[in-house]
Amino acid sequence: MIKLLCLCFYNINSQMKSFKPEIFRQQFPLVVNNDGTTLPVNGISQIGSSPLLVYFDNGATTQKPHCVIDSYHTFYQADNANVHRASHALSARATTAFEHARNTVKTFINAKSNKEIIWTKGTTEGINLIAMSLGRKILKSGDEIILALSEHHANIVPWQLIAEQTGAVIKTVTLDAMGRVDMLVFQQLLNCKTKVICCAHLSNVIGKINPINELIKKAKSVGAITVIDGAQAVAHFPIDVQSLDCDFYAFSAHKMYGPTGLGVLYGKQSLLDNMPPYQGGGEMIKQVSFNTPTTFNSLPFKFEAGTPNIAGVIAFNKAIEFISAYDAKQIHGYEKQLTIYCYQALQNLKVSSKKVVEFIVPGLPDIPVICFTLNDHHNHDIATALDSYGIAIRSGHHCAMPLMEYLNISGCLRISLAAYNTFEEIDYFIACLTKILWQENEISLACTNKNENIDQNVKNVQATTIIMTQFAAIKGWDSRHRQIMLLGKQLNRLDKNYRNAQTLISGCESLAWLIAQKNNHNVFHFQADSDAKIIRGLLVIVLAAFNDKTAAQIQAFDIENYFKSLGLIQHLSPSRGSGILAIVEKITGITQEY
Ligand code: PLP
């Protein structure tokens, strides 16, 4: 275990708090209890003295500090009123706090004016706003939009929608060997038809700073508008929009310790002034009439239709104050140490003397976002197994399907760390991952006991009884997980020809396919398959419940109770990426049609 040596590298402003990871961490109640212990998440026993919640999914959203959580309570308890609309004192107080937060954001990203700070629901809405308002205004048939291939869907789909409406064409920039936007390719794509250039400051999968300074400069040479997706960047280093000189910069509050459902769109005033409103209603109007044209409010209100997320904006102010109280270099220094530590531990991870981790691109990332695959193991299987140890990491395509296609992978695992994570948590994660990989290898080698083969018994209505008996004899998640994996080995794999777009079930993070047949006696038989082992195991369990039954029997079967009795109810939760719920719904949907 290395010690936390990186704390006093920088001279810090005397008004700033010295960043001490263990004290910083105490500010986050979901990560640490008031008494310093960590909360149990899944009720699973600890390994040694390690914590029970290891939250490594900060790229998706960060946990919130006390001051942000408390701000909600205070606002609704003492200050709740709508903003800008009333002459009473409460509204004035809410409006003052609301507009103060706008000023805080302006300072935080060094914008020129509060008029350039638009509240949105998040990065996604910010980019949609630009595409629908500016895009619709300036784009015409044949114009070109350049997108980095590694973009999040939030910075792809709005442009696809607007390209379809206007006849503009999307060009994609590929990546260099290290995973950053390839400036040579970019230069080749750039021409006088290029009207908009969209690029993430950092990809949420690759975690490396794209050469956006150069990209913005080059964009200017052809008069193109630059849209920077800052969703991942703002959480990790200071942003100065004037020094970047980008036209737009969008980010989300929830990825930097602030509330969900709130974001910021920075735009240069000269551009925002000339853009039409994006949505209508509420605060965005000046004058509404049926007799004369409706006129619109000035910036920033022109783009803020309807009652905004007032409590969220005020809580976000607290999040910015909270994070700004520390020296950003100290936090960045600590995060760098965590990144190096985790990256090296993964790099050195061996099972049966073989290295098992393959990073999706070479080289250390610039922020603590590490993506990798594991030889012969489906990312979903590993993420599910880690969850059972209280470790939250992300698996799948990370809303970057074109990038997955480019890398020729169906998905990957992502560790994304924050400044409240610790070296001990990384040790615990590596220990659990090692254990899981050994177990998976063991399961692969285990012989299937023919007597227990559910497939052979599938015609027997008692297939569920066999499964329930097997699970009744099992204690603990480890053994249940092992049993699911063993069941998965019994599933007859679908022929490749049947694994196609028609049989694919949407709603699964991993791929799953289903074929349904009905015989002359109105009895259904289903065959299914998945690329993830855990899903194959869960499919055996689901098919045992539904196969060789009539529609009425299938509808009457209490699947929830069945999963509960097996101790697997969490797999039916809509929040799970497993997609088992989607498969169950697909089967019941098919039988309803008959
Ligand atoms: N862009 C990037 C790079 C992201 O990582 C994300 C979220 O993960 C988004 C955009 C979308 O952010 P939001 O869902 O907050 O709108």
Side-chain angles (χ1 to χ4, degrees):
M1 185 53 245
I2 72 167
K3 291 284 167 211
L4 315 180
L5 298 170
C6 56
L7 305 180
C8 299
F9 284 167
Y10 307 97
N11 279 335
I12 58 165
N13 178 330
S14 59
Q15 289 186 329
M16 284 189 173
K17 289 184 205 166
S18 176
F19 174 71
K20 295 200 167 59
E22 64 280 15
I23 294 174
F24 185 81
R25 182 176 167 83
Q26 295 296 322
Q27 305 300 310
F28 294 84
L30 212 146
V31 185
V32 187
N33 271 334
N34 282 343
D35 63 1
T37 59
T38 305
L39 293 172
V41 188
N42 289 330
I44 291 147
S45 63
Q46 294 172 249
I47 289 189
S49 60
S50 303
L52 288 172
L53 170 61
V54 172
Y55 187 74
F56 283 177
D57 195 16
N58 296 286
T61 195
T62 56
Q63 298 304 338
K64 316 304 168 203
H66 282 295
C67 60
V68 169
I69 299 165
D70 294 347
S71 165
Y72 273 96
H73 186 256
T74 309
F75 176 73
Y76 285 121
Q77 185 99 355
D79 297 320
N80 178 44
N82 212 329
V83 288
H84 297 301
R85 291 180 193 180
S87 49
H88 55 77
L90 206 55
S91 174
R93 212 157 59 225
T95 305
T96 304
F98 184 80
E99 288 306 320
H100 173 70
R102 199 188 301 272
N103 197 55
T104 304
V105 171
K106 180 209 118 186
T107 310
F108 185 66
I109 60 168
N110 193 31
K112 263 193 201 147
S113 153
N114 286 5
K115 293 180 177 179
E116 298 179 322
I117 307 298
I118 316 283
W119 299 119
T120 62
K121 278 193 297 184
T123 310
T124 308
E125 193 184 35
I127 297 168
N128 272 279
L129 190 162
I130 310 164
M132 298 307 152
S133 169
L134 181 93
R136 212 176 270 156
K137 182 172 173 180
I138 65 163
L139 292 171
K140 54 182 193 320
S141 182
D143 283 347
E144 292 179 3
I145 302 165
I146 299 184
L147 294 179
L149 194 139
S150 48
E151 291 309 294
H152 188 282
H153 297 162
N155 202 17
I156 298 176
V157 184
W159 299 109
Q160 289 178 326
L161 293 173
I162 207 66
E164 189 157 333
Q165 288 172 26
T166 58
V169 180
I170 292 176
K171 303 269 163 169
T172 51
V173 194
T174 48
L175 309 178
D176 66 18
M178 304 308 276
R180 294 185 176 90
V181 164
D182 191 324
M183 288 310 287
L184 290 176
V185 176
F186 175 72
Q187 185 65 59
Q188 282 161 9
L189 292 177
L190 197 66
N191 66 66
C192 58
K193 285 188 275 177
T194 311
K195 292 292 177 293
V196 184
I197 293 161
C198 313
C199 183
H201 206 153
L202 297 122
S203 142
N204 58 313
V205 182
I206 292 169
K208 294 188 179 177
I209 300 174
N210 279 317
I212 61 164
N213 287 305
E214 197 186 338
L215 184 140
I216 293 165
K217 255 191 216 124
K218 292 209 152 116
K220 284 188 193 312
S221 68
V222 296
I225 301 283
T226 46
V227 179
I228 307 299
D229 172 349
Q232 294 295 330
V234 277
H236 298 286
F237 48 83
I239 303 301
D240 182 333
V241 287
Q242 287 192 64
S243 132
L244 281 173
D245 203 16
C246 55
D247 294 310
F248 295 97
Y249 197 97
F251 59 100
S252 306
H254 69 99
K255 292 186 196 285
M256 47 173 296
Y257 311 119
T260 53
L262 180 75
V264 171
L265 174 65
Y266 157 81
K268 280 188 178 159
Q269 190 178 339
S270 53
L271 288 166
L272 291 172
D273 265 334
N274 290 309
M275 281 160 55
Y278 160 60
Q279 291 179 333
E283 208 44 47
M284 52 75 70
I285 57 94
K286 190 191 278 173
Q287 186 77 38
V288 180
S289 166
F290 286 119
N291 303 316
T292 53
T294 291
T295 52
F296 307 117
N297 207 339
S298 55
L299 288 176
F301 311 112
K302 181 171 80 171
F303 293 105
E304 293 178 359
T307 300
N309 181 356
I310 305 165
V313 164
I314 293 168
F316 186 37
N317 187 64
K318 288 283 174 205
I320 298 178
E321 283 174 1
F322 168 77
I323 200 68
S324 306
Y326 297 95
D327 185 307
K329 284 181 186 163
Q330 284 193 340
I331 294 190
H332 186 62
Y334 177 65
E335 287 184 349
K336 189 95 205 162
Q337 295 287 329
L338 288 177
T339 312
I340 295 170
Y341 190 70
C342 187
Y343 188 86
Q344 288 178 345
L346 283 168
Q347 203 168 30
N348 296 331
L349 188 69
K350 284 184 183 162
V351 174
S352 305
S353 329
K354 272 201 272 177
K355 289 201 175 189
V356 284
V357 169
E358 203 160 313
F359 296 106
I360 60 155
V361 289
L364 197 69
D366 298 319
I367 59 165
V369 166
I370 305 175
C371 278
F372 58 97
T373 56
L374 288 157
N375 295 344
D376 305 328
H377 298 282
H378 194 281
N379 59 74
H380 186 70
D381 291 332
I382 301 297
T384 313
L386 284 167
D387 181 47
S388 66
Y389 290 99
I391 302 171
I393 74 165
R394 196 69 185 273
S395 71
H397 53 65
H398 312 285
C399 296
M401 280 180 167
L403 176 62
M404 298 297 125
E405 204 179 333
Y406 177 72
L407 297 170
N408 200 20
I409 52 177
S410 64
C412 58
L413 290 159
R414 182 180 74 182
I415 310 281
S416 51
L417 308 171
Y420 47 64
N421 289 125
T422 65
F423 296 101
E424 286 86 351
E425 287 180 316
I426 296 171
D427 287 342
Y428 172 70
F429 155 68
I430 294 290
C432 293
L433 182 56
T434 310
K435 188 172 171 200
I436 290 163
L437 293 174
W438 277 104
Q439 277 172 345
E440 287 235 338
N441 272 8
E442 219 178 84
I443 291 166
S444 296
L445 295 172
C447 297
T448 310
N449 182 343
K450 285 203 165 56
N451 296 330
E452 290 181 358
N453 193 316
I454 304 303
D455 248 25
Q456 295 188 0
N457 289 302
V458 90
K459 294 213 160 46
N460 180 344
V461 187
Q462 301 306 317
T464 51
T465 314
I466 297 170
I467 290 179
M468 287 199 276
T469 313
Q470 288 171 343
F471 275 78
I474 291 171
K475 295 263 173 307
W477 168 255
D478 252 17
S479 317
R480 268 203 295 277
H481 184 254
R482 183 184 150 82
Q483 186 61 29
I484 301 173
M485 299 302 248
L486 283 171
L487 285 176
K489 286 174 71 70
Q490 299 178 3
L491 189 78
N492 286 332
R493 306 298 307 270
L494 273 183
D495 188 277
K496 276 208 174 95
N497 296 330
Y498 288 115
R499 292 190 233 156
N500 55 40
Q502 276 76 44
T503 59
L504 189 70
I505 300 170
S506 55
C508 303
E509 268 285 336
S510 37
L511 299 173
W513 305 268
L514 179 83
I515 301 175
Q517 287 163 319
K518 193 172 71 151
N519 70 15
N520 296 337
H521 305 289
N522 289 329
V523 169
F524 283 91
H525 188 81
F526 300 96
Q527 282 174 277
D529 197 359
S530 171
D531 57 344
K533 285 184 207 153
I534 185 124
I535 300 297
R536 293 205 289 275
L538 291 166
L539 280 173
V540 171
I541 295 171
V542 169
L543 296 190
F546 290 143
N547 253 344
D548 303 309
K549 288 185 174 161
T550 62
Q553 285 170 323
I554 289 171
Q555 298 297 331
F557 189 84
D558 187 348
I559 190 83
E560 208 171 309
N561 217 12
Y562 172 53
F563 264 71
K564 210 183 268 174
S565 73
L566 300 175
L568 303 175
I569 190 68
Q570 75 270 32
H571 288 289
L572 279 185
S573 150
S575 68
R576 281 288 311 180
S578 82
I580 279 297
L581 187 63
I583 293 163
V584 169
E585 281 170 356
K586 178 91 182 172
I587 289 178
T588 49
I590 288 171
T591 55
Q592 263 164 3
E593 284 165 18
Y594 287 92

